[in-house]
Structures are given as C-alpha cells and as structure tokens.
Amino acid sequence: MSFRKRNVGLSGPSAQHSKTDPDTFPASIPGVRASPLDGRLTTSTGTSSLDDILGHSGFALGNSLLIEENGTTEFGATLLRYFAAEGVVQAHKVHVVGFGEPWARELPGVSVTAGGDTASPESLTGHEKERMKIAWRYERLGDFGAGPSSARATPAINRKPVIDSSNEKDPIPTTAFCHTYDLTKRLTISDPKCLHFIPIHINSQIESPFHSILQSLRGQLTSSPNSIIHRLIIPNLLSPALYPPHASSPQHVLRFLHSLRALLRQHPRQLVVFVTLPVMLHPRSTGLTRWMELLSDGVIELSPFPYSTDTTPSATTSGAATAQEEKPQGMVTVHRLPVFSEKGGGGNLGDDLAFTVSRRKFVIKPFNLPPVEGDTEAQRGDGDGKPTKVDIEF
C-alpha cells in the first residue's frame, strides 16, 4: 500500500523554468518584447502589417523567413531593407550577405509624419493616455487567431512609443517596437559597427561558397554578448549575379540551410534570418526549392501583378475597394508560418492578401474585389454601409 502524498507534482525543479516567462525577459534590449500569446521573445520586421501576419505581433527570435518572389521586381528587397533599417534603429547587429556599403545607403529613413513614431506625450488626449496604462499584451489578447481578416474590424496595435504613466507630471517614453519608414528618405547610420557585410568567396569550383558565411556568422555570435540581437539578411539566394553555378547544388545550399537552422536553434534568443529567393529561376515545382522551404521556419510568396501602362486606372479595374485606396501591386501567399505555439498551427489566413508599395509605406492587407461597374457611391467610398429604404424595397 502506497503512502505517497497526493496532489504533489512529480516533475523536477528544472520543469519550473521550462517555459519562457513573459515577465522575466530582458526588457533592457531595445526592439525586443515578449509575445502576448505565449511569452516568447519577438522582434519587429520593420513592417507592421507583416508583424501581424506572423502571429505574435512580431517575428519570434530563433526563426527564419524565406521570401519567394516571382518576376524581376524588387519588392522582396524592400522588405529586407525595412528589416535591416529596423535593426539599425534598434541598435541590433545586422549582417548582410553578398553586398557592401552601397546597399546600406539605400535603407529607408524613419518617418516623421503623423503616422510615425514622433508623437509627443503632450499631444495625446485623455483617452489615449488612459489606454497607455493598459499593458499591450493584454490589450490584444482577444484578437489572436482572428488573422489579418479582422484588420478592418479591430484597431491596429499601438506601435508608438509606450509612455510610463505612473508619473503623470513627467511621463517617460520608451523605445518603440516598430517604427514607420519613408522610402523617399535615407537612414542616417550613426554607428557603422552595427552593420556587418559578409562577402561571398569563390575559391574553387568544388568548395562551397557558403562555408565562409557560416564561419563569419559563428564568429560574430560567439564574440558578442547575449544581449545583442543579430539579424542575418541573405538577398537573392542562388542568384547568378552573386553566386557561382555550383552553389545551387543540393549538397551545398541544403547543407548551408541545415547548418543555419542549427545556429538558430543554438541561439534562439539572439538570431533571426531573412532570405529572399527568386522563384523565377528556381520554381516551387522543383525538389530543391521544396527542400529549401522545409528547412525554413516561415515561407511567403510575393506575386506581382503584370505591369499596366494605364497611369490613371479606375477603381473598378485597380483592385481597390474605393477610389481613395491605393492600387495593390501584387498578391501575398503564406505557405508556412513559424511555429505559432507548442501545439503547432499558424493562425487563420483564409483571406487573400495583397501588398501595396507606395513612396512612403509597404502594407500587406486583405485583397478586396473592386466595386460593381456603375456603383459610383461605392467607388467614391461615401457610403456608410447601412441599407436605406430604397435598398430594401421590393
């Protein structure tokens, strides 16, 4: 007969620290916060709409994202520049493969418009100050799982500098999690040491060109303190303009991605990776591309629309819901998301997504069908959506 006391946990003392406590993450690291879903550390991609799609209102540390782009456009490069600019602003270590300092001169500057992150505490209303008192991770808990389809019904996450309202006389703003960038401006890099350019060495026709990249990245990770976040950017992977022909051999590129995945697991609180792949040269129907997707934590595809010579398209042909909305440049397909939680799953992404790139922003939002031809009120966007007496009469 057993005399063991009941209702006593049998797990060891190490089980108490197996999960990431959202209240114990290093809050002193700029640009890093705990996920409101499960407490894992996240950082921003520099694009707020992409952060919302990734499921944690940010990009979880220790993961990689593969961006596939059709055609010969540079929309994927724009996302990489946003990602790099956010790292520079947050004082992270940004590693760029295959490019030098001229690439860094094209980084977009921080926007100072009304939608930017330069709002002063004095300009906030009483209602906004009241909302500041609520922790951001509790304010959006009910919206997780709704996906980007709820963007029109729920307010966006407040990404302005969070103000400590404990002292009403002198509120102290903290660093913003995600900044707003302007493609017409250029980022001023105050500390050039935050950028590290990794060249691609081609020594022979047999040796892998990725060996030097991994060696340089390992050296940077081991020599830097744990409080430094590293952002690895690999533009145009396997592009003939950057890589030799034998780089596309599975024994080289797949081994590189496998080793990169191992580094992400060894440094889950320090390293994040963004990779772009021209699928026009390496279609998804090939086995090599599918294996590259399997070795990546997240995979999204950008499919630009065919170029139109019409400079003044109407709302019925532009894909915009109203005349005030900007014309989308292409579709976004989410093939895989980083692990949403320990139980798996990547959220509800049932709606078709489209991206819009203007001179001042990059936005990913649900794709709306154009209004019916002749519905001028819907094209102007003047209707409030409420049925009138004429509408319900038979």
Side-chain angles (χ1 to χ4, degrees):
M1 184 175 181
S2 175
F3 294 97
R4 179 175 60 84
K5 186 177 180 181
R6 298 183 181 275
N7 300 330
V8 177
L10 298 179
S11 59
S14 60
Q16 299 177 359
H17 306 282
S18 59
K19 295 184 179 180
T20 303
D21 188 359
D23 296 329
T24 59
F25 78 98
S28 59
I29 300 179
V32 176
R33 70 181 182 189
S35 168
L37 182 69
D38 56 3
R40 71 182 65 203
L41 300 182
T42 63
T43 187
S44 176
T45 62
T47 308
S48 59
S49 55
L50 182 58
D51 290 344
D52 297 336
I53 292 175
L54 294 177
H56 293 272
S57 294
F59 190 39
L61 297 183
N63 288 275
S64 61
L65 183 65
L66 177 64
I67 303 174
E68 302 173 342
E69 184 171 4
N70 290 283
T72 58
T73 55
E74 291 291 331
F75 296 117
T78 303
L79 285 177
L80 292 186
R81 289 189 173 93
Y82 274 102
F83 182 68
E86 185 66 29
V88 172
V89 172
Q90 302 288 5
H92 296 171
K93 189 72 174 182
V94 180
H95 309 271
V96 183
V97 176
F99 289 87
E101 295 182 1
W103 189 88
R105 299 192 190 105
E106 300 296 326
L107 296 181
V110 179
S111 175
V112 294
T113 58
D117 297 309
T118 58
S120 60
E122 292 79 6
S123 62
L124 299 177
T125 62
H127 177 67
E128 291 176 344
K129 290 183 178 180
E130 184 66 22
R131 292 187 61 189
M132 291 292 185
K133 298 179 181 179
I134 306 175
W136 59 268
R137 58 174 173 265
Y138 300 120
E139 189 176 12
R140 283 276 296 188
L141 275 179
D143 295 335
F144 276 90
S149 59
S150 62
R152 290 165 290 182
T154 57
I157 299 176
N158 183 15
R159 301 180 186 275
K160 296 180 180 180
V162 180
I163 297 176
D164 185 8
S165 59
S166 58
N167 186 2
E168 296 293 343
K169 297 182 180 179
D170 188 16
I172 302 175
T174 59
T175 306
F177 179 73
C178 179
H179 296 80
T180 304
Y181 296 95
D182 190 345
L183 292 174
T184 61
K185 299 181 179 180
R186 292 295 172 256
L187 184 65
T188 302
I189 302 175
S190 58
D191 185 11
K193 295 182 180 179
C194 64
L195 288 169
H196 176 225
F197 302 100
I198 305 177
I200 301 174
H201 297 288
I202 306 175
N203 298 326
S204 65
Q205 298 295 330
I206 301 176
E207 185 180 354
S208 172
F210 303 106
H211 178 71
S212 59
I213 300 175
L214 291 173
Q215 188 176 7
S216 177
L217 183 60
R218 288 195 186 99
Q220 291 288 330
L221 288 171
T222 55
S223 61
S224 62
N226 296 333
S227 59
I228 300 297
I229 304 299
H230 296 262
R231 297 182 177 223
L232 177 63
I233 299 174
I234 307 178
N236 298 328
L237 181 63
L238 300 182
S239 173
L242 300 174
Y243 297 88
H246 67 277
S248 58
S249 175
Q251 63 180 349
H252 295 322
V253 63
L254 295 184
R255 183 178 297 178
F256 166 69
L257 293 178
H258 196 276
S259 302
L260 193 60
R261 189 180 181 92
L263 281 177
L264 288 168
R265 300 304 179 264
Q266 293 174 6
H267 304 274
R269 290 170 171 256
Q270 288 183 267
L271 182 62
V272 284
V273 179
F274 258 42
V275 184
T276 57
L277 176 70
V279 293
M280 189 176 182
L281 302 176
H282 305 278
R284 297 190 68 245
S285 57
T286 61
L288 178 64
T289 303
R290 298 308 295 269
W291 270 107
M292 294 172 67
E293 293 180 355
L294 291 175
L295 293 174
S296 303
D297 297 303
V299 180
I300 64 174
E301 182 180 0
L302 303 180
S303 302
F305 292 144
Y307 175 74
S308 176
T309 57
D310 187 7
T311 57
T312 58
S314 62
T316 58
T317 59
S318 65
T322 63
Q324 287 78 12
E325 293 186 6
E326 297 181 0
K327 177 182 177 180
Q329 274 83 8
M331 302 295 295
V332 179
T333 305
V334 180
H335 298 294
R336 175 189 289 185
L337 287 178
V339 176
F340 195 68
S341 65
E342 283 74 9
K343 297 180 180 179
N348 180 17
L349 295 173
D351 288 353
D352 295 330
L353 301 177
F355 65 90
T356 302
V357 183
S358 63
R359 297 178 61 186
R360 299 184 182 276
K361 60 182 179 179
F362 190 110
V363 179
I364 301 175
K365 59 183 179 180
F367 180 71
N368 300 318
L369 292 175
V372 180
E373 184 70 28
D375 191 355
T376 57
E377 183 179 356
Q379 295 178 16
R380 294 194 308 267
D382 298 334
D384 54 359
K386 297 181 180 180
T388 60
K389 184 179 180 180
V390 180
D391 297 332
I392 62 178
E393 281 186 352
F394 294 97

